[in-house]
Amino acid sequence: MSDEYYLELSENPVQFENASSVNNVFFDEANKQVFAVRSGGATGVVVKGPDDKSSVAFRMDDKGEVKCIKFSLGNKILAVQRTTKSVDFMNFIPDYPHLEFSHECKTKNASILGFCWTNWNEIVFVTDQGIEFYQVLPDKRTLKLLKSQSINVNWYMYCPETAVLLLSTTVQGNVLQPFAFKSATMSKMSKFEIELPAVPKPAKLSLSERDIAVATIYDQLYVMYLKHHSRATNSPGAEVVLYHLPREGTCRKTHVLKLNTTGMFALNVVDNLVVVHHQSSQSSLIYDIKLRESDGALNVHQPVLPAQSINPYKIHLTGPAAAPSQAPVPCELYSSSWSVFQPDIIISASEGYLWYLQVKLQPTLKLLLDKGKLMDFLLRRRDCKMVILSVCSQMLTEGDKGNLSVVATVFDKLNQVYKEYLDAEQAYTAAMESGPSRSSTSSKRPVRTQAVIDQSDMYTHVLSDFTEKKGVKHKFIIAVLMEYIRSLNQFQIPVQHYLYELVIKTLVQHNLFYMLHQFLQYHVLSDSKPLACLLLSLESTYPPAHQLSLDMLKRLSTANDEIVEVLLSKQQVLGALRFIRSVGAHDNISARKFLDAARQTNDTMLFYTIFRCFEQRNMRLRGNPGFNQGEHCEEHVAYFKQVFGENALMKQATA
């Protein structure tokens, strides 16, 4: 059943005390922690994070209702807001006093809306009249003002991943002013306006923070605006409008996601996909902003896949009312008690669960039938390698097996990503070799993602199995192998010899020797020593393979030793000697190797000819026809004397 759903909740959720047993539940997006706060006498706090290290429990004096509570990065300092005028702090650094200290906002008559930690010891107070950026000095139990900015604020939103704070300003709230934070500095970014839907006069719309989310998609920061259906514009449904927010330069509206329905929505971002949850239909839609349907400067997107519910989830009941043997009960999906946080978090305060939303790729294969579009989608996902390889295998053995153009499209898409990675790796290596003076300090080694499907992946998981498949026509097998090689050549990726070997073995298996001859003759298969050796081994099955192998070795020009070995093994001793002379290597070769081969032929005249050739070489090089002791030719000299007599030995020239 679970294979049908492409969205699921994480199998091991973070569990915390549910809302019925505590006074308040808070979520800290920076540390991904849930704070369950229980008041009465002393305030008990249980903090649950993604792992045991980030989970902690403690008590505080009850000084009033907690409005906001968050740890700084690494759980070093706790900040608690109980009033609109001040924030309280408590050290959790080992060996520091575990005492509370407080700090009031500096702006008179201002109300604190909330705060954000930007570092382990840096914090921003957001008030209705601006922002105040502080450094916390835990040893002195005080705060130092680094910078402040006066601006009317309706509400704020913080993106911990990029340390960008978004402030809603003006009466309608639709002018957003971003600020970026980095190591004790605060910089003002370009403000921008969210386009609100037209409404009949005199009515006026204002921008609610419920309709805004900030997230990183494909390493770029976006502000996502949920634009509800407007009768005045006669639009068919709501939209999500994406505004690209660069560190420098102006923010622009770049993408529109068409929801084609109305109602209550919530947004997540998972694996660079925008997920839109629709409460009334209890279903979700996913969008990939890289799959473009351009409409001028704006990219308009329809859902990548049909709307579908999140995979049903069952929860184990806990507490005194739950019987030990009680079966898990279905969780109410898309519940009104759900809270959705960026990028991929869903919290059910009523049930005491925090889940990470996950995308499963396998179920998408049946929903995206266009293989080209499917590849575009899969190549951008995190855990895509084995899914892509399974698509390739299925494509070659199932429904598309007659369609080479589809196969070509898929191979080209894979090899484009492969080539981009190889180029980036090469550029990085070149930058490193040129030394630190030339290479930029920001030069980082390219990350090999799962989308890089190299030749060994294709060979191991797809092509070698495919060539062994029963019931697939051999012409199609060869066409597929050649199509993959064509694609590699198109992207100027050197083809590994084992792919050529697979082609040759397939041709031989089906007795297609004429085709093999043509492939070699017209250099469809590139020359290599391993390939020449493979051809040599085919001589008993296909005699011309011997000459094809020799021709290939000659073309390589770096394979002289191999050619000599091949010729000597075939007892073509004179041929080997002629070849070695033709390449000018006669002076350096081993005389013993040639004399051994000549003796093995049992042809005494051939032995005489070879022996005489080396005597002449010795005379030319050293002025003496004899062999040096290091050449180990004593046995052959003795044999020569025995057969032809000592007088047949060449005499040393006299001056």
Side-chain angles (χ1 to χ4, degrees), residues 211 225-229 235-242 256-267 274-279 281 283-287 300-307:
D211 296 332
Y225 166 47
L226 184 55
K227 188 176 182 180
H228 291 281
H229 167 69
S235 63
E239 298 172 343
V240 176
V241 184
L242 268 60
V256 174
L257 317 182
K258 294 286 188 183
L259 306 186
N260 306 316
T261 187
T262 60
M264 295 276 286
F265 300 96
L267 302 172
V274 180
V275 182
V276 183
H277 307 291
H278 185 226
Q279 194 178 19
S281 68
S283 65
S284 302
L285 297 161
I286 64 171
Y287 297 82
V300 179
H301 302 267
Q302 293 294 338
V304 177
L305 302 167

Side-chain angles (χ1 to χ4, degrees), residues 295-529:
D295 178 17
L298 204 59
N299 292 296
V300 179
H301 302 267
Q302 293 294 338
V304 177
L305 302 167
Q308 199 185 71
S309 165
I310 294 168
N311 189 12
Y313 190 90
K314 290 188 175 180
I315 55 174
H316 294 270
L317 292 176
T318 55
S325 60
Q326 196 164 344
V329 296
C331 166
E332 186 194 342
L333 300 178
Y334 303 92
S335 160
S336 55
S337 72
W338 275 18
S339 300
V340 173
F341 296 93
Q342 296 314 314
D344 55 356
I345 286 166
I346 294 173
I347 292 179
S348 172
S350 62
E351 290 164 329
Y353 279 89
L354 177 153
W355 294 282
Y356 291 93
L357 186 65
Q358 297 169 338
V359 172
K360 293 201 306 176
L361 298 181
Q362 202 64 42
T364 65
L365 309 189
K366 293 176 184 173
L367 299 169
L368 261 176
L369 300 178
D370 180 326
K371 289 288 188 291
K373 198 171 180 183
L374 176 63
M375 277 299 146
D376 288 339
F377 175 77
L378 292 176
L379 282 165
R380 298 190 181 101
R381 308 288 74 83
R382 205 168 29 236
D383 302 319
C384 63
K385 177 168 280 188
M386 295 318 294
V387 180
I388 287 173
L389 292 168
S390 76
V391 169
C392 291
S393 293
Q394 287 169 15
M395 169 182 76
L396 297 179
T397 54
E398 291 175 11
D400 291 306
K401 64 183 181 186
N403 196 340
L404 261 183
S405 64
V406 171
V407 173
T409 300
V410 169
F411 287 163
D412 286 350
K413 286 182 185 294
L414 297 182
N415 287 329
Q416 185 173 354
V417 176
Y418 179 24
K419 175 64 172 171
E420 284 166 5
Y421 169 75
L422 291 176
D423 286 350
E425 184 73 36
Q426 197 175 358
Y428 170 79
T429 306
M432 291 299 102
E433 286 172 356
S434 67
S437 56
R438 287 191 189 179
S439 66
S440 86
T441 51
S442 63
S443 183
K444 285 184 184 174
R445 186 176 199 121
V447 178
R448 184 180 178 130
T449 67
Q450 286 209 12
V452 179
I453 310 284
D454 65 18
Q455 295 174 64
S456 66
D457 293 324
M458 283 298 288
Y459 176 83
T460 307
H461 298 283
V462 181
L463 298 175
S464 57
D465 287 345
F466 170 59
T467 57
E468 302 295 324
K469 281 274 186 231
K470 299 281 186 283
V472 182
K473 290 179 181 175
H474 62 261
K475 283 185 180 176
F476 182 64
I477 292 174
I478 292 154
V480 166
L481 294 175
M482 297 315 297
E483 197 55 60
Y484 185 61
I485 289 168
R486 174 212 55 82
S487 181
L488 290 168
N489 285 328
Q490 183 177 312
F491 288 97
Q492 297 176 315
I493 301 169
V495 181
Q496 295 297 318
H497 66 83
Y498 49 76
L499 289 172
Y500 290 135
E501 286 174 19
L502 194 59
V503 174
I504 290 172
K505 284 175 182 174
T506 307
L507 291 168
V508 170
Q509 196 179 340
H510 296 284
N511 296 318
L512 297 170
F513 297 112
Y514 69 93
M515 196 179 279
L516 170 60
H517 210 112
Q518 284 184 317
F519 281 176
L520 292 164
Q521 198 174 353
Y522 295 107
H523 308 296
V524 174
L525 306 177
S526 295
D527 298 342
S528 73
K529 287 182 187 178

